[in-house]
Amino acid sequence: IEPISTSIAVGMAAALTGFLATYPNIFYYFNECCRPEWISLNKTALVVGIGATLGRTIYNYLHESCEPKWIALNATGLKVDLDRKLFGQHIASRIILKAVSGFMSNDNPKKPLVLSLHGWTGTGKNFVSQLIADNVYKEGMDSSFVHIFTSELHFPHASQLETYKSQLQQWIKGNVTNCAHSMFIFDEMDKMHPGLIDSIKPYLDYYDKLDGVSYRKAIFIFLSNAGGESITQTALDFWKAGRDREEIELRDLETLLSLAVFNNKKSGLWHTSLIDKNLVDFFVPFLPLEYRHVVQCAMAEMIVRGHQPDPSVANQVARDVVYFPKTERVFSVKGCKTIESKLDYYL
Ligand SMILES: Nc1ncnc2c1ncn2[C@@H]1O[C@H](COP(=O)(O)OP(=O)(O)OP(=O)(O)O)[C@@H](O)[C@H]1O
């Protein structure tokens, strides 16, 4: 390299850079990104963009959506919950686990899952619905995809039947459109107007789509006391015969249940075609609860409240409960329903 020309070249480059530095606009003329006000504008846009993306990510992470992250069956969890938390319901426990696991593992069900839970008051029908919700939805009963209807609360006036019908249909359609894996619980189903039950019938059927909406991944749970008396009679017959309650099988109750529920003209269910169209997948009987189950409920409640479970307190609570029939005093009149409040008195 020739030293004189190199020095001249370096000197000229330095002079040109110095000249350009005193006239920044010349550079901006060719490269507009570097103008200071644009730099600050771009910086602001960048910060806003990153903020928005981050915000959206955090929102999606924390806010429940109709995604597998939020909705997926924990089959082991459901089994454990049914085994450990639900007392005295061996038939219901078995059917529920089989029905829910089978349905949730099917990617392409032909129809929604429809369960009809029957039995005496306080025997665990609402409780089981909660256990199902807890093991399907991350948010459990608080999930925005779990919906509860109570006949007397939501549909109190028979005169407004037509309004209720269209509201209920819109509500179901809207929610299933929003999330196919929605769950609908209808409490006091036997008190629901037959016309209203009929209005939801299309959603329970084997349709691929209705008005562009598929209902096949939804879960419908109907709760009622219908059939409770005949279930109780069977349990009492077993007790009188000295037979173990766990020996009672679904087939011992099925016929009785259908006769009691579907031949009972006072029952809302009887008037509907839900039954003869076979839209209910499983009829689930709940047995009346005995003294020992009430003790178990009291013990469980103590644990829930963070107390050391005390058998003597649990027995005191169970002794305070009313049992029927009057002579035998085998089954708790209110099941485990009042145990929670009774416990306040003893703790
Ligand atoms: N079989 C059971 N095992 C454990 N706990 C139970 C059982 N049955 C009832 N309980 C307890 O009693 C409470 C009330 O029961 P639940 O509401 O499930 O009764 P239900 O059968 O739905 O009654 P109803 O027909 O009057 O609505 C539950 O929240 C639960 O704590």
Side-chain angles (χ1 to χ4, degrees), residues 85-87 89 120-127 187 225 289 297 336-337:
K85 295 184 184 169
L86 183 69
F87 309 125
Q89 303 298 356
W120 199 261
T121 185
T123 51
K125 300 180 295 294
N126 274 287
F127 186 55
D187 200 3
N225 297 127
L289 298 179
C297 285
C336 275
K337 212 164 189 177

Side-chain angles (χ1 to χ4, degrees), residues 49 74 76 150 173 189 219 227 282-283 317 333:
N74 176 358
T76 317
T150 305
K173 185 178 176 188
M189 186 70 173
I219 299 179
F282 295 92
F283 289 100
V317 173
V333 170

Side-chain angles (χ1 to χ4, degrees), residues 318-338:
R319 276 197 294 273
D320 201 18
V321 162
V322 181
Y323 295 88
F324 73 100
K326 267 194 182 126
T327 41
E328 294 93 345
R329 301 185 74 244
V330 189
F331 304 120
S332 163
V333 170
K334 291 183 180 161
C336 275
K337 212 164 189 177
T338 50

